[in-house]
Each structure stands twice: as C-alpha cells, then as structure tokens.
Amino acid sequence: MDLSDNQYDEVGVDNEQDDNETIEEPKVGMTFSSAEEVWSYYMKYGKQKGFGVCKRNSKQGDDGNVRWFTLVCARQGTSKSMARINATLNDEGGYTLSKVNLDHTHVCSPEKARHFRCFKKVDARVSKRFKINDEAGIRMKKNFKSLVVEAGGYKNVPFVEECRNYIDKERQLRLGIGGAEALCNYFRQMQKKNPDFYYEMDVDDDLKLKNVFWADARSRAAYQSFRDVITFDTTYLTNAYNMPFAPFVGVNHHGQSMLFGCGLISNEDTHTFKWLFESWLNCMNDQPPNAIITDQDKAIQLAISRVFPTSRHRFCLWHIMKKLPKKFGSHSRYEEIKSTLQKCVYDSLSEQEFEERWCDLLNTYDLHENAWLGSLYSDRHFWVPAYIRDTFWAGMSIAQRSEGINAFFDNYVNSRTTLKQFVDQYDSALRRKVENEAVADFNSFNTEIPCISHYPLEKQFQKAYTIAKFKEVQDELRGFLYLTTSLLECEGGKYTYIVADEVQVSDELIKRANYIVKLDEDLLEVNCSCKLFEFRGILCRHALRILTQLGKSTVPSKYILDRWRKDIKRKYNFVKSSYEATSNPEGQRYDRIQNCFYELCSNAAKTESNCVKLINQLEQLKLEFH
C-alpha cells in the first residue's frame, strides 16, 4: 500500500459492494493482515458513522516496510481532528491498532457521508456501464441520471455527476486494431513528402490517442484564398458510418466544397472542440475565418466564442427548421404554427419585422412557455435571416455542404471501412476533388455560356465569372419577368425604388414581396433590402433591374467579386499536396526540385527586376542541363 500521498483520486473504481455491512467499532488491539485491510476497514467505518478518512502521517523502516501510520477524520476546513487510529507493524507482518480516539470535533452525518471526496467511488459494475453507454453515444448527463433512477435516488449513488472526469479518462479514439499506428505512419509519410503537411495528436495521461487533426499543404494554401467562410459539421460520418469525422469545409470560386483540414474526435464536448479549433487555427497561421456555420450545439458555440471571438457565427437554418415536426407535430394546430413560423423566419426583412411576427406567433398560439421557442429566440442572432443577412456567407449552409461532403466520400468510404482504409481513401477523395476543380477551371476558360439578354452588364459577368457563378447571375436576370418597379424618390443622382417581386415557392404558392433599392450615381453604389449581395455575393435581380432601367451598361467594379472570378491566378494551384507525390524515383526527384522553386518563384515574382534576374539565371542553367 502506498501511503506517501495524502490525496485521494476524486473518482476511483471500487470493486466492492458492501454498504449494508455493519462495521465494528475500532478498539486498541484489533489486528489486520495488511495496511490495505486497515485502510479498507476504517473507510467503511467512517462511511457508516458519517465522516471522511485520510492519512495524517506514517513512518517507513529501512527495510521499506511501513512501521506505523495514522488515519484521521478528514473533516474539511479543520486543521486538526481528534478522531483517529494508529496502526503499528506487528511481528506477524500485519498491523495492530495501538491507539484509537473516537471523539470528533463536529457532528457526523451518515446520510451526507457520500459527499466526502474519499467516498466518491465508481464501482466496477457502474464503470462498465459508463463505458458501454459512452461507446453507444449516450451523453454523460443521461448516463448519470439512469444510474440515479436505478439506485432509487441521489442519496444511494456513491458519486456525483462530476464523475464525468472518470469517463473522460477512459475516452480515446476507437480506431480499431492497428488504427493508431496506421494513422501515425500516414502522418509521417505525408509530412516526409511535403513539410507543409500539418497534424496534431491529442493523447491522455496513459498516452492513448484521443483526438487528431490534419491538413494537407494544398488545403492550407487554399484557405488563404477562401478564408472568408467555413462550415464545421460532425454529423455526416458520425451518423452514416460511425466514424467521429469532423471536417472544416469551405467553398471555392466554382461553389465547390473544399476541405480545409479535418479531425477525428473521441468526444463532442466544449473541451474537445476547443482543442480541435485551436489546432486548426494554429495550422492556418492564426488566421480565423470571417464567418463560420455550424449546427446548433452549445458545446460548439462555446468553443467558437473562445477560439474564434472575432468570427461571425451562424447556426444552420435548415437543421433548426427540420425539427418542427418533432417539436409541434402533436399540436392540434400544427400546420398553422408551421406556416406562421416559416413566414416569421423567411419573410421578415428586418429585425423589427421579425420581432413583431414572433410576438404575434407566441400570442396567437399561446406558446409563451414553450422552452424550445424560448431558446431559439435567445439565439436569434445566430440563425434568423433578418439578423445575419448583412454578413457574407458565400451561399453556404451546413445542409448544402453536408450533401457535398456526402457525395465527396460516398464513393470512397462505407460502413465497413477501417481506419487504415480511410486514410488511403481520404487521399483518393482529395485527388478527385482537385481534379473536379481543374475540370471546372478548364471549362470556365474554354466554354462560353450564351447570354440570355441584350444587356451589356450580363457580358461583364460572362467575361469575369466562372460558369457556375455566371449561371447564378443569369438566374437573377431571368427573374426580371416577375418584377414591377416604381420610383419612390429621386434627388440629384440618388434614386429610391420600390421593386415588387413574385417568387414561386411551390406549384400552388407564389410569394409576393416588396423590396427597396437605392442607387447613388456619385458613389457608384446600389443597395437592396433583400441583401442578397451581402449574403451570397451575387447582385440581386432587384438591383440589376434598376441598373438596366437607368441605362447603366456596366456594374460598378465593387459588385464583381474577385472571389468568383475565373481569371485570377490563386497561389494554392501551384502547391503540390502530399497525396499527389509520385512514387517513382524520377518523379520524387522532380518534386524535390519543384519544392525548391516554390519559394524562389514566389519571391522573385514580387518585382519586375527580380523576375527578369531570375529568368536570366534560369536561361544559363538551361544551357548547363541541356
């Protein structure tokens, strides 16, 4: 028995269950076969009488055996305790009680003894239950409550809810046989091929793998071009394939999903998400995204507020609205509530309009006490369109990006995929993603989508934008057919118009709405109350209609976003990723040489003189290696 430490673990594992046993009062002369037996006896006695136990002091002999030790009442806040027992090593190698004091300086309470730190123990049966439930995805709170119900109340549970500390120690990534080793080997190989490959591994005190994060060199470089908006979603592979996969996803100039790194995580609490976000932020040179979209999750929300305090955080609206049937499906007026709530959320163009409609919803259907609606209202700045339209989201949502990730991995990962297979298939999926972008780039330069109007400004978008984004502009131009405009005010070069729009929601439903468009000819600014440009980066039909109506042949350059342009050379296209490295010796030598040229070319391209100097030097080298 180790008596060198005065502290007990906050939560340990207890394999004994004998709380109903009556413990004899300690007396001088009582003998025990070992120090552990003395400790166990006095612990049981203390719990029966209502006081905690700790070691006061001990003395070890030259032979390494403990000669004597003292166990005392562990009354918190008391510097000295009268109640104690002294145990002395006897001739048989056991221990005899040499002194006993049963007087306490406080009132003992057997009913409250379970609150003493030394009794906060998880027995073997409960620890097994914790592990099984945790693997099944049952949260700690429900895990604990089930044990309270089974035990017949909190007073019968020998530990408190903070026993989550115990299960956290047990948590690790369940990677299967050889999984952790395969992952380490994969990371080492990728970093050997390209030093800019990044990874971090989180291990517990026993060096068991808990969480990992990695990002290839190309993804890191691509983030510099498209770091305005990312989505973070843990639902796809967790739900579909039982793999705790947590990708950071962005969108490129074609509207295609891009991976900006990913993690495998063993838990979905604030601490884990904070570790993952900090790892990702460090990987991206401490450059947080302008905006981030996630599912509505308190743990994620708290972690983002700590790691990305300057980033605009938004919940996925689709995930919230799809909960309506579950929350109100049994309500007698469900269809009315659904329709009213949808109008409140989707049709409110201003915060004031939303507030008024929300209040009417609660009053009409007597929903003031509805907890779910109450929580949604508290978080309205994170998900209601009227509150988030003024932020650029690049047309992204969790639902759309999840569908993209589904398609991204469906051909490479299935429910029988092992981790060893996953890391290989992950690379295959990334290679395919790069190829998809290359094809889209080629098509945007070599395929011309015909204009659908005679307006010169359409040709302006045709020349500048990728095919995917030009088609979105054309969708807005097609909407001209359903617009009616009327001049509200004109003063100098400043115009204010009301634009009435009709949008077909379904075969039988057409939604009508009025928007305010303001145009300032001096400042070359046009703004619409629908805020489509602010939200998606595509100029809306209402603004385009007014520009054409006033005879404007071009759109102000500020409304042609570099983000969607096809003619911009982005640096990440020149970065060769680890998974693209060839296996043949000549190819490997080629990559080594090319890696040396990356930094050289980047620096020389900054000025014309350096560019000319490098080219001249290369011409000389070309003669040498002819």
Side-chain angles (χ1 to χ4, degrees):
M1 178 182 182
D2 183 4
L3 291 170
S4 61
D5 189 357
N6 284 322
Q7 300 298 322
Y8 246 98
D9 289 337
E10 184 172 350
V11 180
V13 177
D14 187 0
N15 292 299
E16 301 180 18
Q17 290 183 312
D18 49 9
D19 288 344
N20 295 325
E21 181 183 353
T22 300
I23 307 302
E24 180 183 356
E25 194 171 82
K27 297 181 180 65
V28 172
M30 293 179 70
T31 59
F32 301 87
S33 61
S34 65
E36 287 84 354
E37 189 175 326
V38 178
W39 185 276
S40 177
Y41 159 76
Y42 201 54
M43 284 277 288
K44 293 174 183 176
Y45 175 73
K47 189 172 184 181
Q48 177 179 284
K49 292 298 182 180
F51 64 91
V53 174
C54 68
K55 181 186 71 69
R56 174 69 72 189
N57 45 42
S58 62
K59 183 176 181 180
Q60 192 171 18
D62 296 336
D63 56 2
N65 292 322
V66 176
R67 309 302 300 174
W68 57 266
F69 61 90
T70 302
L71 301 181
V72 301
C73 167
R75 171 75 178 200
Q76 292 184 358
T78 304
S79 58
K80 264 193 173 182
S81 176
M82 300 288 291
R84 67 184 62 205
I85 60 171
N86 281 55
T88 305
L89 185 67
N90 56 40
D91 295 337
E92 287 75 31
Y95 288 87
T96 301
L97 298 190
S98 56
K99 292 182 181 179
V100 173
N101 190 326
L102 303 180
D103 297 328
H104 291 270
T105 59
H106 59 90
V107 177
C108 296
S109 176
E111 292 183 356
K112 297 180 180 180
R114 62 191 174 89
H115 296 299
F116 282 107
R117 186 177 182 183
C118 59
F119 299 130
K120 294 177 182 178
K121 308 208 62 164
V122 181
D123 61 50
R125 175 186 62 85
V126 170
S127 70
K128 183 66 175 177
R129 170 83 68 83
F130 275 156
K131 293 175 185 178
I132 292 174
N133 287 353
D134 183 58
E135 291 179 9
I138 300 175
R139 290 178 177 259
M140 191 64 219
K141 191 173 183 179
K142 291 184 177 180
N143 218 339
F144 180 74
K145 283 186 177 179
S146 69
L147 293 169
V148 172
V149 172
E150 181 181 346
Y154 284 90
K155 68 180 185 304
N156 298 323
V157 179
F159 47 85
V160 293
E161 192 170 352
E162 282 75 13
C163 58
R164 64 171 54 91
N165 295 334
Y166 166 75
I167 201 64
D168 281 344
K169 291 180 182 178
E170 296 297 322
R171 277 199 172 113
Q172 57 176 300
L173 273 181
R174 301 180 181 94
L175 304 178
I177 299 174
E181 183 181 359
L183 203 60
C184 289
N185 290 336
Y186 167 76
F187 290 154
R188 284 194 289 265
Q189 290 170 6
M190 292 298 102
Q191 200 165 67
K192 184 178 181 180
K193 292 177 181 178
N194 191 320
D196 285 333
F197 182 91
Y198 184 97
Y199 71 93
E200 286 195 25
M201 308 181 77
D202 180 29
V203 297
D204 62 15
D205 295 337
D206 297 323
L207 300 182
K208 293 178 180 177
L209 189 60
K210 294 177 65 178
N211 310 294
V212 297
F213 166 80
W214 75 95
D216 66 277
R218 192 175 190 275
S219 295
R220 297 180 70 188
Y223 178 70
Q224 301 307 313
S225 295
F226 303 114
R227 56 174 285 248
D228 41 21
V229 188
I230 66 165
T231 65
F232 177 76
D233 181 26
T234 61
T235 61
Y236 169 57
L237 288 180
T238 302
N239 292 343
Y241 300 136
N242 195 31
M243 294 184 70
F245 184 58
F248 295 86
V249 181
V251 62
N252 66 9
H253 48 306
H254 300 287
Q256 298 171 330
S257 296
M258 303 187 78
L259 273 177
F260 292 146
C262 58
L264 292 171
I265 56 177
S266 61
N267 195 7
E268 293 184 274
D269 59 11
T270 299
H271 177 76
T272 302
F273 287 129
K274 184 172 179 289
W275 177 88
L276 184 61
F277 293 159
E278 287 174 342
S279 299
W280 184 78
L281 187 61
N282 189 48
C283 170
M284 298 305 176
N285 301 313
D286 292 324
Q287 294 181 311
N290 296 341
I292 182 170
I293 309 170
T294 72
D295 192 9
Q296 185 185 21
D297 184 283
K298 289 296 183 184
I300 293 177
Q301 184 179 2
L302 185 56
I304 286 177
S305 68
R306 292 175 178 174
V307 183
F308 307 125
T310 61
S311 300
R312 184 76 163 90
H313 182 199
R314 165 187 158 204
F315 298 151
C316 178
L317 178 58
W318 181 81
H319 276 164
I320 291 175
M321 298 304 286
K322 78 171 185 176
K323 296 177 183 178
L324 277 174
K326 178 182 178 181
K327 300 296 183 179
F328 293 105
S330 60
H331 199 286
S332 59
R333 303 177 70 181
Y334 167 67
E335 291 298 334
E336 295 177 50
I337 293 175
K338 177 183 176 182
S339 177
T340 305
L341 182 57
Q342 287 177 336
K343 289 179 181 178
C344 175
V345 172
Y346 294 115
D347 295 347
S348 298
L349 294 179
S350 66
E351 298 176 12
Q352 181 180 354
E353 191 174 358
F354 170 80
E355 297 280 354
E356 292 172 354
R357 289 183 173 181
W358 186 270
C359 185
D360 290 341
L361 169 72
L362 300 184
N363 292 334
T364 302
Y365 303 103
D366 193 23
L367 296 173
H368 289 278
E369 302 302 320
N370 186 279
W372 183 62
L373 290 180
S375 67
L376 287 184
Y377 182 77
S378 298
D379 285 335
R380 61 193 181 281
H381 294 88
F382 290 90
W383 65 277
V384 177
Y387 290 90
I388 61 176
R389 275 202 185 97
D390 57 351
T391 300
F392 178 64
W393 301 100
M396 295 181 71
S397 76
I398 281 287
Q400 293 167 340
R401 291 306 120 193
S402 291
E403 291 172 5
I405 292 298
N406 291 1
F408 185 33
F409 282 102
D410 277 346
N411 293 328
Y412 303 97
V413 181
N414 58 52
S415 58
R416 295 174 298 281
T417 301
T418 66
L419 183 71
K420 291 180 180 180
Q421 295 169 329
F422 174 76
V423 294
D424 291 331
Q425 299 302 335
Y426 173 84
D427 288 350
S428 297
L430 286 181
R431 280 195 293 269
R432 183 61 189 169
K433 204 68 177 172
V434 173
E435 178 64 16
N436 289 343
E437 181 176 327
V439 171
D441 281 338
F442 177 84
N443 290 338
S444 289
F445 276 107
N446 296 280
T447 303
E448 185 173 275
I449 303 299
C451 290
I452 61 173
S453 75
H454 61 269
Y455 298 118
L457 56 77
E458 183 183 1
K459 290 185 178 295
Q460 187 181 3
F461 285 106
Q462 180 193 48
K463 181 179 179 180
Y465 277 8
T466 61
I467 288 177
K469 291 303 161 181
F470 177 54
K471 286 182 176 180
E472 289 185 31
V473 174
Q474 288 189 321
D475 286 340
E476 296 303 312
L477 292 172
R478 290 188 183 95
F480 278 21
L481 181 63
Y482 308 104
L483 302 182
T484 304
T485 67
S486 57
L487 181 63
L488 185 65
E489 185 179 355
C490 176
E491 182 178 345
K494 297 180 180 179
Y495 301 85
T496 302
Y497 282 85
I498 296 178
V499 180
D501 195 0
E502 295 181 356
V503 179
Q504 187 170 10
V505 179
S506 63
D507 292 340
E508 300 178 354
L509 178 61
I510 294 178
K511 183 171 68 175
R512 295 175 173 82
N514 292 329
Y515 300 94
I516 303 296
V517 176
K518 295 183 177 182
L519 176 70
D520 190 321
E521 291 184 317
D522 295 331
L523 297 178
L524 298 177
E525 288 186 352
V526 59
N527 298 290
C528 179
S529 59
C530 78
K531 295 187 180 296
L532 183 71
F533 179 76
E534 291 83 352
F535 187 78
R536 280 179 49 197
I538 298 294
L539 209 54
C540 67
R541 64 192 64 185
H542 319 116
L544 288 171
R545 182 69 184 92
I546 298 304
L547 287 171
T548 57
Q549 187 169 314
L550 292 176
K552 305 299 180 182
S553 59
T554 60
V555 171
S557 59
K558 68 177 72 175
Y559 301 110
I560 305 289
L561 295 187
D562 286 350
R563 200 194 195 290
W564 307 131
R565 295 184 71 99
K566 62 185 177 184
D567 55 353
I568 290 181
K569 298 295 183 182
R570 297 175 173 88
K571 291 182 179 179
Y572 72 90
N573 287 311
F574 301 100
V575 175
K576 209 168 188 63
S577 192
S578 304
Y579 53 76
E580 295 179 285
T582 179
S583 59
N584 67 77
E586 183 178 346
Q588 290 178 347
R589 289 193 292 270
Y590 180 92
D591 286 344
R592 285 165 57 195
I593 295 170
Q594 193 175 49
N595 284 335
C596 291
F597 272 96
Y598 285 150
E599 184 175 359
L600 183 62
C601 294
S602 178
N603 291 333
K606 292 177 180 178
T607 66
E608 180 63 21
S609 60
N610 284 343
C611 179
V612 172
K613 181 179 179 181
L614 178 59
I615 290 175
N616 290 334
Q617 292 174 340
L618 290 176
E619 290 297 332
Q620 294 298 318
L621 287 174
K622 284 166 65 177
L623 295 174
E624 183 178 346
F625 290 95
H626 179 66

